[in-house]
Amino acid sequence: MHDSNTDASTLSHVSRGRGRLALLGVFWSFVNIMVSNGLTVVVFLVTSLLLEPADFGAVALATSIVIWVMTLVPLPLGDAIIQRSDLRQAHLDSAFWLTMAIALASIAVLVISAPLIASWTKLDVLAVILPVLSLRILFVSLGNIPAALVNRRMEFRHIALRTTLANGLGAAGCLLLVLQGYAIWALIMAQVITAVVGCIVSYWTADWRPGFQLSRAALTELRGFTLFTMGGRMIEPTKINQILLGVVAGPAVLGIFFFARRICEILQELTIGTLLPVTRVLFASLQTEKDQRREAFILSSFAAATAAFPLFIGFIIVAPTAIPFVFGSKWLAAIYPLQCFAMLSLMMSIGVMQASLVRFSGHASWWFGFECVVSLSGFAAILLLAPEGLNRIMSALVGISFLLWPIATRKTLKILDMSAATYIFDALRPALISVSMMAIALFALRELGPPMYGTSQLLAQFAVAIPTYVIMIFLVGGDRLQQILDKIRSSRNNSVQ
């Protein structure tokens, strides 16, 4: 067990075999995502069939409030621990106890103010939900530092184990409550159970316990990265938008918004979710190795675009058929918001790689400023367009994303000392060409094929889209795919030797 006498070798960044560990990390992330998302899909499908949009909206508002309160807790100290090159035990102990002190104070304030929030939002159920859901803050805070240590060591198998166990038991508890007729409480308790199990497994896999080497100087060394990351999370568009939308538009509209966003989040986990935990640690460990960092960014961006572009473009096309067929007619109003979220997710598949690079290359303050602009723009769009309906709001959010993306891209290219042409040609071109051909094939099927509906239409769309994309990505991106395969083979040979 690692205690206050943890040695320096345990705390240092991994310096050897990072390529092999990164590839193993992608594999374990994929295993984790597939298992966890399989359970999530079952839970989401069951609860969406049982609950009305207004019920979803009440849970979404409560969740958004708790998550926003959680941004007041210095959980980004965990990211700062991952990012810091010279880590000491005093950093860990000081970060842990500061996190717990602020977490307990935040929980107390949330519990006391729950009746006031319920009265303000005119949702009486929040007075009961918020105190229970605040337990999520406690257990996430408890497990924050050990989870960061596991990430720092690039022990991705343990990360996958933690997340899979937590999500699995959370899903099991959720389904049990659903079967007993408590669908709303099922969504609440699933979050609490997931946090509890994740905390327990974090301590088990990190083999670390907090000591009492408290140091103001250690906290000062972590402060800059932590404060900017906290600020970014505090104004993160998803949290702010959901709270604001619930207040100005009501729980039914928020329920549609949450339903559409949740589907795209599940799809994001299947694509960029497998890469994000790995790239954060990898970019942090490559801060002084510019050539290797540039190559890692190009490969990770290529992989993210290759996985995400066809999924979200395809989903935009098939959503009008798939949503009523799978979830029922009560969710028809979610089709256009879902298509907009799919477009935002497509942009995010590129953006999260840029965010990881910028933040974990020592430019957290710049990224915080960028997030402020994004959040304030979305905030203004919701306030101005709320009377015109959710569809107008979603159109504005997509437009804002497209307008601001070049700014983040320019900063990324400056850090990498790379041209825009190299970025587009090496990282994005194969996916862009392939997904364009897939969209053309689907359009041709709709215009030239026989009339089809329901199941036959969905099956035909999949039968056309998947082979078209796979063939095209091998034709125009085969060199990059071969490069990834070569790295996998090389890492296997090194691990054998």
Side-chain angles (χ1 to χ4, degrees):
M1 179 184 299
H2 300 296
D3 53 21
S4 58
N5 296 316
T6 302
D7 58 70
S9 62
T10 303
L11 298 181
S12 61
H13 272 133
V14 174
S15 58
R16 300 179 60 184
R18 285 176 301 203
R20 180 178 62 85
L21 289 173
L23 290 171
L24 286 174
V26 172
F27 167 76
W28 283 112
S29 292
F30 178 76
V31 172
N32 169 36
I33 292 300
M34 292 305 294
V35 174
S36 299
N37 269 277
L39 297 168
T40 300
V41 167
V42 173
V43 169
F44 183 77
L45 180 60
V46 171
T47 53
S48 63
L49 292 173
L50 293 175
L51 294 174
E52 294 297 320
D55 298 323
F56 256 86
V59 174
L61 184 57
T63 302
S64 298
I65 291 171
V66 169
I67 291 177
W68 189 84
V69 171
M70 206 183 300
T71 64
L72 302 176
V73 181
L75 295 175
L77 283 167
D79 286 341
I81 284 169
I82 294 173
Q83 190 264 353
R84 186 162 186 83
S85 57
D86 57 329
L87 186 67
R88 305 187 306 276
Q89 184 64 33
H91 290 120
L92 303 179
D93 293 346
S94 302
F96 174 84
W97 291 112
L98 179 63
T99 298
M100 290 311 303
I102 297 177
L104 291 172
S106 300
I107 292 170
V109 171
L110 182 59
V111 171
I112 293 170
S113 59
L116 296 175
I117 295 173
S119 175
W120 178 53
T121 59
K122 297 181 176 60
L123 288 173
D124 294 338
V125 70
L126 293 185
V128 182
I129 289 177
L130 288 174
V132 176
L133 197 53
S134 67
L135 292 172
R136 178 179 174 183
I137 301 175
L138 173 64
F139 290 102
V140 168
S141 300
L142 277 169
N144 186 49
I145 301 304
L149 279 174
V150 175
N151 273 278
R152 181 181 174 88
R153 298 172 193 156
M154 301 185 78
E155 296 174 349
F156 297 111
R157 181 169 62 90
H158 291 158
I159 298 170
L161 174 65
R162 180 189 74 218
T163 310
T164 300
L165 279 176
N167 288 342
L169 291 176
C174 180
L175 291 175
L176 182 61
L177 287 171
V178 166
L179 294 176
Q180 298 298 318
Y182 301 103
I184 290 181
W185 280 105
L187 293 174
I188 299 299
M189 292 308 299
Q191 298 181 54
V192 176
I193 294 170
T194 298
V196 172
V197 177
C199 175
I200 293 171
V201 178
S202 291
Y203 278 97
W204 174 38
T205 53
D207 194 21
W208 174 86
R209 302 294 182 271
F212 293 95
Q213 293 187 29
L214 305 182
S215 167
R216 180 177 295 181
L219 288 175
T220 300
E221 291 169 349
L222 298 174
R223 181 178 59 191
F225 186 93
T226 300
L227 289 178
F228 285 121
T229 306
M230 279 183 67
R233 292 184 181 182
M234 198 175 297
I235 62 169
E236 185 179 329
T238 301
K239 302 183 184 77
I240 297 295
N241 290 349
Q242 283 196 176
I243 295 174
L244 182 61
L245 197 60
V247 172
V248 301
V253 173
L254 178 57
I256 296 293
F257 182 90
F258 176 76
F259 172 85
R261 183 181 67 81
R262 190 71 188 100
I263 290 178
C264 284
E265 282 182 343
I266 293 171
L267 296 178
Q268 287 170 20
E269 287 294 317
L270 292 172
T271 52
I272 57 178
T274 59
L275 296 170
L276 189 56
V278 180
T279 56
R280 292 165 60 215
V281 185
L282 187 61
F283 291 149
S285 68
L286 291 174
Q287 292 179 68
T288 60
E289 301 170 49
K290 295 184 178 180
D291 291 340
Q292 292 183 18
R293 183 177 60 179
R294 186 186 301 112
E295 183 63 21
F297 178 79
I298 290 175
L299 281 180
S300 61
S301 296
F302 168 79
T306 299
F309 280 25
L311 184 62
F312 291 112
I313 292 295
F315 200 74
I316 290 171
I317 296 171
V318 305
T321 304
I323 294 303
F325 177 75
V326 177
F327 296 99
S329 58
K330 66 181 178 182
W331 294 108
L332 282 172
I335 291 175
Y336 184 76
L338 201 155
Q339 290 173 316
C340 290
F341 269 118
M343 185 60 67
L344 290 171
S345 298
L346 188 149
M347 298 293 295
M348 189 180 297
S349 68
I350 306 169
V352 292
M353 296 302 146
Q354 297 175 344
S356 291
L357 176 79
V358 174
R359 289 178 60 240
F360 287 88
S361 296
H363 300 270
S365 59
W366 187 94
W367 194 259
F368 170 69
F370 178 74
E371 287 184 317
C372 284
V373 174
V374 175
S375 295
L376 289 174
S377 301
F379 192 87
I382 292 175
L383 284 178
L384 292 174
L385 299 176
E388 300 184 35
L390 182 58
N391 287 357
R392 288 294 300 274
I393 293 173
M394 294 305 305
S395 296
L397 294 178
V398 172
I400 290 169
S401 180
F402 272 96
L403 287 173
L404 295 179
W405 179 73
I407 299 174
T409 302
R410 184 173 182 273
K411 178 65 175 179
T412 302
L413 298 179
K414 184 178 180 181
I415 293 173
L416 294 172
D417 192 21
M418 183 169 65
S419 68
T422 299
Y423 177 43
I424 294 173
F425 188 83
D426 287 354
L428 305 182
R429 175 185 57 88
L432 287 170
I433 294 174
S434 301
V435 80
S436 298
M437 291 303 299
M438 184 192 78
I440 292 171
L442 287 172
F443 179 78
L445 174 67
R446 188 184 69 181
E447 297 299 319
L448 303 177
M452 290 178 286
Y453 307 95
T455 305
S456 60
Q457 184 178 8
L458 280 175
L459 292 175
Q461 288 171 330
F462 285 129
V464 168
I466 294 174
T468 302
Y469 182 79
V470 171
I471 291 171
M472 287 303 303
I473 198 66
F474 272 99
L475 287 175
V476 297
D479 54 339
R480 282 292 172 188
L481 292 173
Q482 186 61 49
Q483 188 177 0
I484 293 173
L485 289 175
D486 290 342
K487 286 185 176 293
I488 293 174
R489 293 193 189 101
S490 176
S491 68
R492 286 178 178 173
N493 294 334
N494 291 337
S495 63
V496 171
Q497 295 173 359

